[in-house]
Structures are given as structure tokens and as C-alpha cells.
Amino acid sequence: MTDLTGKTALVTGASRGIGRSIAERLAADGALVAVHYGTNEAAANDTVATIQKSGGNAFAVRAELGVDDDVDTLFAGLEEGLDGRPLDILVNNAAIIDYDGTIDKITRAAYDRQFAINVRAPLFITQRALPLMRDGGRIINVSSGVTWFATPEIAYGMTKGALNVFSRSLAQSLGARGITVNTVSPGITETDMNGWLNDPQAAQHVAGMIALGRHGQPADVGDAVAFFASEDARWITGQTLEVNGGLLLGPPTGYAG
Ligand SMILES: NC(=O)c1ccc[n+]([C@@H]2O[C@H](COP(=O)([O-])OP(=O)(O)OC[C@H]3O[C@@H](n4cnc5c(N)ncnc54)[C@H](OP(=O)(O)O)[C@@H]3O)[C@@H](O)[C@H]2O)c1
């Protein structure tokens, strides 16, 4: 457990899944956490209530990303909740996957929507956050292993590739302020995004590709994000950490079959 007492954090997409786990962990470490969400108010309120029940501090902020004025809406709620305090930690986590976004079916509208939510929003959220951030702050972007293994959902993979480039470039630009920028790249993790994992056969198939023999839980990723948010990670920037249990390391029985 690291000590984030006195720090503040914004976690986008924190109502469910990995973002919720990140928000819970940062709050458990002592940060005041802004739990951002798009539409699922009940889930966001539940995240905030769970944090508060454990003695942590959090507030919910609603803003649909990928639409006009998304950043203005987000920062109106964020600044109200921060009430004059600066921001220390920004986690760009919210994203969507379009399972129809394959090369034969992808449409311009679906492509634009994924890039607007997964790439444009993190860039302009970060731009808007920087004047609020203290020097020595932390930015963590949540990408995906699909940047190095191929999947049919081509546009989603492209958005995450763009996010990786964004992270490295930003790390270079913000070094002078002592702000670190790192990427956490989850493997196959049990969230609403991966409803297909509820099929035991699919889960077993996935486990066979992972050295540690199981798919991920949101907390497996949240704990890694908390490391980058901590003082322990003070001299790490521009890096990507694959948090995936050893996904696709090679054939489990060797190459000879
Ligand atoms: N699950 C995996 O296996 C996996 C693997 C690799 C990478 N990732 C990445 O990990 C991150 C979290 O994924 P997850 O699996 O936890 O997803 P999830 O369970 O689908 O949750 C997505 C979160 O993002 C928010 N969100 C989505 N679209 C939004 C929009 N247009 N405006 C505002 N908020 C929006 C949702 O808010 P609402 O609740 O309001 O809808 C929700 O809080 C994503 O960046 C994803 O690409 C996930």
C-alpha cells in the first residue's frame, strides 16, 4: 500500500470495470478521487459509496466523452468537486470497443466515435488538466495488449496504438515539470467490455494462452496503476507495463508440439 494522503485523482470511466478498481485502490491509498462516468449514474454512485464506506473520499462526475463540449462538462464537475485543490493524478481509462469494427464492417461513423472517445478525449482532457496539475504529478493511460497482438477489431486496436504514441510524446513534453506519463496495458480482463468471458469454454480457451493460467480481474490492473501513481514510480516515465498474466508468451508445450 502506498500513501496518497493529500493527493487528488481523476479516473475516467470509473463507474465500472477496471476504472472502478483503479478508483477504489487510489482512494484506499488516501487520494480524493473523482469518479468519472458517462451514463451509468447508479454504478458511479455505487463506486463512490463503496469508497466512502471503506473510509475513503470520492465524488462522481458525469460527462459523456466523444461529444461536443465533453471536456468542458467534465471539468465543470471536476473543479466543483476539487473545490480549489490542484490535481495530482490523471488516469485516462474510459474507452469503448466496437466488436463490429472489423475491416469488412467498420463504418466511418463507428471509426470516428471510437477515436473520439479513446484518443481525442484523453488528449484534450490532459490538455485541460495540465494547468490544474501540480508539478511532480502522475498521468497514467490505459491502453491494451492489442497494440502488439492482432485482433479483428481493427479500429479499436488503432485507437490504442495512437494512445501509446500519445503517452510517449507526452512523457517527453512533461518531464521538465516532473510529471510522469506511463501506460498500463491490460490483458484479457473480466469486465462488461468482455461479456463473452462469461462462457466457461471461452474463459478456458483464454486461460490456455496465459502463463499464469487465468484471465485478469480489474484489481490486477488497478494495483499496477496505483504503482505508477505512487512515489515509488518517481523515476519511471514514458514506459508501458503489460499487465496480462503472461499473455501469448509462447506455446505452453514448446515449439515442437
Ligand atoms: N477488459 C479488458 O479485457 C481490457 C483489455 C485491455 C484494455 N482494456 C482497457 O481498459 C479500460 C477499461 O475497460 P473496461 O473493460 O473496464 O471497460 P468497461 O467495463 O466497459 O467500462 C468502461 C468505462 O468507461 C466509461 N465510458 C465508456 N464510454 C464512455 C463515454 N463515451 N463517455 C464517458 N464514459 C465512458 C463507462 O462509463 P458508464 O458506466 O457510464 O458507461 C465505464 O465506466 C479501457 O481503456 C479498455 O480499452 C480493457
Side-chain angles (χ1 to χ4, degrees):
M1 191 71 63
T2 53
D3 190 6
L4 298 178
T5 307
K7 307 262 189 201
T8 62
L10 165 63
V11 182
T12 67
S15 52
R16 299 181 284 114
I18 290 169
R20 176 178 177 139
S21 182
I22 296 167
E24 289 181 0
R25 172 63 202 266
L26 297 183
D29 288 354
L32 163 66
V33 180
V35 171
H36 161 263
Y37 69 102
T39 53
N40 199 330
E41 187 170 13
N45 287 341
D46 193 56
T47 305
V48 170
T50 301
I51 288 171
Q52 289 171 341
K53 249 185 257 157
S54 312
N57 293 307
F59 59 92
V61 178
R62 178 183 195 135
E64 185 185 349
L65 302 179
V67 299
D68 287 348
D69 299 331
D70 51 0
V71 177
D72 289 339
T73 307
L74 171 56
F75 278 77
L78 175 68
E79 290 183 32
E80 190 186 331
L82 289 179
D83 197 19
R85 278 166 290 211
L87 184 67
D88 296 291
I89 300 158
L90 166 62
V91 183
N92 285 308
N93 165 78
I96 57 163
I97 185 168
D98 174 9
Y99 282 105
D100 283 331
T102 55
I103 191 62
D104 50 334
K105 287 196 244 157
I106 183 87
T107 63
R108 290 177 77 101
Y111 171 95
D112 286 348
R113 182 167 146 73
Q114 278 189 103
F115 269 82
I117 296 168
N118 297 5
V119 183
R120 191 179 72 195
L123 186 144
F124 288 103
I125 289 169
T126 303
Q127 183 188 62
R128 186 70 168 267
L130 284 173
L132 279 183
M133 284 187 84
R134 278 195 265 238
D135 288 358
R138 300 278 188 270
I139 297 174
I140 299 118
N141 296 315
V142 180
S143 184
S144 171
V146 300
T147 52
W148 59 267
F149 61 84
T151 55
E153 295 82 17
I154 194 164
Y156 173 75
M158 290 167 69
T159 66
K160 294 301 187 177
L163 196 69
N164 287 4
V165 174
F166 168 63
S167 282
R168 283 181 59 81
S169 179
L170 197 62
Q172 177 75 348
S173 301
L174 300 184
R177 287 187 56 189
I179 296 175
T180 68
V181 185
N182 290 292
T183 303
V184 166
S185 206
I188 300 162
T189 309
E190 192 176 315
T191 68
D192 296 342
M193 191 177 264
N194 280 338
W196 52 269
L197 270 176
N198 292 334
D199 173 357
Q201 261 186 323
Q204 199 181 357
H205 176 65
V206 161
M209 302 178 205
I210 299 174
L212 294 178
R214 65 167 178 86
H215 62 256
Q217 294 299 326
D220 295 323
V221 182
D223 290 348
V225 170
F227 167 68
F228 281 127
S230 76
E231 177 60 15
D232 290 344
R234 62 194 167 275
W235 208 48
I236 306 174
T237 195
Q239 303 305 307
T240 298
L241 183 64
E242 303 291 335
V243 181
N244 60 23
L247 178 63
L248 296 173
L249 292 182
T253 52
Y255 289 94

